[in-house]
Amino acid sequence: MSDIRPHEIMVPTSDPDDARLRFIGRIHTPWTDRKDCPRQGKQDGPECRIEVFEPWVPALKGIEDYDQIEVLYWLDRSRRDLVVQNPGHTDKTFGTFALRSPVRPNPIGTVGAKLISVEGPNLIVRGLDCMNGTPLIDLKPDRCAFSPKAAPKD
Ligand code: SAM
């Protein structure tokens, strides 16, 4: 994994066949209690802060060109052992893969967030639905808005 193109930047990380996750940041939201958290984020929700850790801060280069980003996070306070669930709002049961419940074998949450600003290693966004302190796994430009507002210069 040492072949890189000119101007690319590499950091030490794991081999592709190592499936252990490395958290790349932390999400700061107003919600400390699960019951206060929205079930899905709303674009007019409160401003939240996504903090990206080193050595991944340079990976934000160009993200400011997008209005919408996809945020992937690890629902770290979730149980992982239910295959059939009874969501609180109904008396019906559903298989885990028919739900967006945080309770899943690998509790990965995804949300489309509105990017308000980039302040160094911090992204200010609206539209999140996770508790304060939730670990960040990845960030991507929204797939529908894959072309940036203005193409990056390099
Ligand atoms: N938007 C994501 C998705 O669809 O993949 C997550 C949806 S899940 C229904 C959101 C709920 O997960 C919140 O309302 C809250 O109850 C719970 N939750 C939020 N942050 C969590 C965390 N860090 N650990 C466990 N549960 C969490």
mmCIF file of all heavy atoms in Angstrom, residues 61-66 146-154:
data_model
loop_
_atom_site.group_PDB
_atom_site.id
_atom_site.type_symbol
_atom_site.label_atom_id
_atom_site.label_comp_id
_atom_site.label_asym_id
_atom_site.label_seq_id
_atom_site.Cartn_x
_atom_site.Cartn_y
_atom_site.Cartn_z
ATOM 1 N N LYS A 61 -10.455 18.230 3.231
ATOM 2 C CA LYS A 61 -10.181 19.164 2.125
ATOM 3 C C LYS A 61 -11.226 19.015 1.021
ATOM 4 O O LYS A 61 -11.391 17.929 0.464
ATOM 5 C CB LYS A 61 -8.788 18.864 1.565
ATOM 6 C CG LYS A 61 -8.342 19.720 0.404
ATOM 7 C CD LYS A 61 -6.908 19.322 0.031
ATOM 8 C CE LYS A 61 -6.487 19.744 -1.346
ATOM 9 N NZ LYS A 61 -6.427 21.176 -1.564
ATOM 10 N N GLY A 62 -11.940 20.054 0.701
ATOM 11 C CA GLY A 62 -12.948 20.043 -0.370
ATOM 12 C C GLY A 62 -14.365 19.805 0.114
ATOM 13 O O GLY A 62 -15.329 20.057 -0.607
ATOM 14 N N ILE A 63 -14.544 19.344 1.351
ATOM 15 C CA ILE A 63 -15.901 19.015 1.821
ATOM 16 C C ILE A 63 -16.768 20.269 1.916
ATOM 17 O O ILE A 63 -17.996 20.212 1.794
ATOM 18 C CB ILE A 63 -15.860 18.230 3.151
ATOM 19 C CG1 ILE A 63 -17.191 17.484 3.335
ATOM 20 C CG2 ILE A 63 -15.541 19.138 4.332
ATOM 21 C CD1 ILE A 63 -17.141 16.367 4.327
ATOM 22 N N GLU A 64 -16.109 21.436 2.087
ATOM 23 C CA GLU A 64 -16.877 22.688 2.202
ATOM 24 C C GLU A 64 -17.636 23.009 0.919
ATOM 25 O O GLU A 64 -18.521 23.868 0.902
ATOM 26 C CB GLU A 64 -15.934 23.851 2.569
ATOM 27 C CG GLU A 64 -14.915 24.248 1.512
ATOM 28 C CD GLU A 64 -13.667 23.356 1.467
ATOM 29 O OE1 GLU A 64 -13.591 22.378 2.242
ATOM 30 O OE2 GLU A 64 -12.781 23.629 0.640
ATOM 31 N N ASP A 65 -17.327 22.300 -0.186
ATOM 32 C CA ASP A 65 -18.022 22.547 -1.450
ATOM 33 C C ASP A 65 -19.389 21.858 -1.522
ATOM 34 O O ASP A 65 -20.096 21.997 -2.520
ATOM 35 C CB ASP A 65 -17.151 22.062 -2.615
ATOM 36 C CG ASP A 65 -15.912 22.938 -2.775
ATOM 37 O OD1 ASP A 65 -16.032 24.158 -2.571
ATOM 38 O OD2 ASP A 65 -14.835 22.404 -3.075
ATOM 39 N N TYR A 66 -19.724 21.101 -0.484
ATOM 40 C CA TYR A 66 -20.993 20.365 -0.498
ATOM 41 C C TYR A 66 -21.982 20.950 0.513
ATOM 42 O O TYR A 66 -21.587 21.336 1.612
ATOM 43 C CB TYR A 66 -20.746 18.884 -0.160
ATOM 44 C CG TYR A 66 -19.971 18.198 -1.252
ATOM 45 C CD1 TYR A 66 -18.588 18.209 -1.251
ATOM 46 C CD2 TYR A 66 -20.628 17.593 -2.312
ATOM 47 C CE1 TYR A 66 -17.874 17.609 -2.267
ATOM 48 C CE2 TYR A 66 -19.920 16.999 -3.332
ATOM 49 C CZ TYR A 66 -18.548 17.018 -3.305
ATOM 50 O OH TYR A 66 -17.845 16.443 -4.318
ATOM 51 N N PHE A 146 -23.159 14.597 -5.762
ATOM 52 C CA PHE A 146 -21.764 14.192 -5.812
ATOM 53 C C PHE A 146 -20.874 15.230 -6.471
ATOM 54 O O PHE A 146 -19.711 15.362 -6.142
ATOM 55 C CB PHE A 146 -21.600 12.829 -6.486
ATOM 56 C CG PHE A 146 -20.178 12.367 -6.438
ATOM 57 C CD1 PHE A 146 -19.556 12.169 -5.215
ATOM 58 C CD2 PHE A 146 -19.448 12.202 -7.588
ATOM 59 C CE1 PHE A 146 -18.233 11.788 -5.136
ATOM 60 C CE2 PHE A 146 -18.121 11.821 -7.526
ATOM 61 C CZ PHE A 146 -17.515 11.611 -6.299
ATOM 62 N N SER A 147 -21.446 16.025 -7.425
ATOM 63 C CA SER A 147 -20.636 17.093 -8.000
ATOM 64 C C SER A 147 -20.612 18.256 -7.028
ATOM 65 O O SER A 147 -21.666 18.747 -6.637
ATOM 66 C CB SER A 147 -21.244 17.572 -9.318
ATOM 67 O OG SER A 147 -21.322 16.491 -10.184
ATOM 68 N N PRO A 148 -19.429 18.702 -6.627
ATOM 69 C CA PRO A 148 -19.391 19.830 -5.701
ATOM 70 C C PRO A 148 -19.953 21.089 -6.341
ATOM 71 O O PRO A 148 -20.017 21.188 -7.562
ATOM 72 C CB PRO A 148 -17.910 19.986 -5.379
ATOM 73 C CG PRO A 148 -17.167 19.166 -6.347
ATOM 74 C CD PRO A 148 -18.102 18.197 -6.989
ATOM 75 N N LYS A 149 -20.354 22.063 -5.494
ATOM 76 C CA LYS A 149 -20.914 23.330 -6.005
ATOM 77 C C LYS A 149 -19.918 23.964 -6.977
ATOM 78 O O LYS A 149 -20.267 24.434 -8.027
ATOM 79 C CB LYS A 149 -21.174 24.285 -4.831
ATOM 80 C CG LYS A 149 -22.390 23.919 -4.044
ATOM 81 C CD LYS A 149 -22.644 24.920 -2.938
ATOM 82 C CE LYS A 149 -21.729 24.676 -1.762
ATOM 83 N NZ LYS A 149 -21.977 25.495 -0.589
ATOM 84 N N ALA A 150 -18.658 24.003 -6.595
ATOM 85 C CA ALA A 150 -17.607 24.473 -7.492
ATOM 86 C C ALA A 150 -16.528 23.396 -7.434
ATOM 87 O O ALA A 150 -16.149 22.978 -6.356
ATOM 88 C CB ALA A 150 -17.046 25.792 -7.003
ATOM 89 N N ALA A 151 -16.074 22.966 -8.611
ATOM 90 C CA ALA A 151 -15.099 21.873 -8.632
ATOM 91 C C ALA A 151 -13.857 22.269 -7.846
ATOM 92 O O ALA A 151 -13.381 23.406 -8.008
ATOM 93 C CB ALA A 151 -14.735 21.529 -10.061
ATOM 94 N N PRO A 152 -13.328 21.361 -6.997
ATOM 95 C CA PRO A 152 -12.086 21.682 -6.294
ATOM 96 C C PRO A 152 -10.981 21.999 -7.294
ATOM 97 O O PRO A 152 -10.960 21.469 -8.397
ATOM 98 C CB PRO A 152 -11.773 20.401 -5.533
ATOM 99 C CG PRO A 152 -13.037 19.627 -5.497
ATOM 100 C CD PRO A 152 -13.844 20.050 -6.688
ATOM 101 N N LYS A 153 -10.042 22.869 -6.902
ATOM 102 C CA LYS A 153 -9.017 23.329 -7.838
ATOM 103 C C LYS A 153 -7.979 22.271 -8.141
ATOM 104 O O LYS A 153 -7.358 22.278 -9.160
ATOM 105 C CB LYS A 153 -8.360 24.596 -7.283
ATOM 106 C CG LYS A 153 -9.360 25.747 -7.310
ATOM 107 C CD LYS A 153 -8.768 27.028 -6.706
ATOM 108 C CE LYS A 153 -9.827 28.100 -6.589
ATOM 109 N NZ LYS A 153 -10.992 27.679 -5.791
ATOM 110 N N ASP A 154 -7.722 21.333 -7.201
ATOM 111 C CA ASP A 154 -6.781 20.262 -7.513
ATOM 112 C C ASP A 154 -7.181 18.993 -6.798
ATOM 113 O O ASP A 154 -8.200 18.948 -6.146
ATOM 114 C CB ASP A 154 -5.348 20.653 -7.126
ATOM 115 C CG ASP A 154 -5.232 21.105 -5.681
ATOM 116 O OD1 ASP A 154 -6.272 21.091 -4.982
ATOM 117 O OD2 ASP A 154 -4.135 21.472 -5.274
#
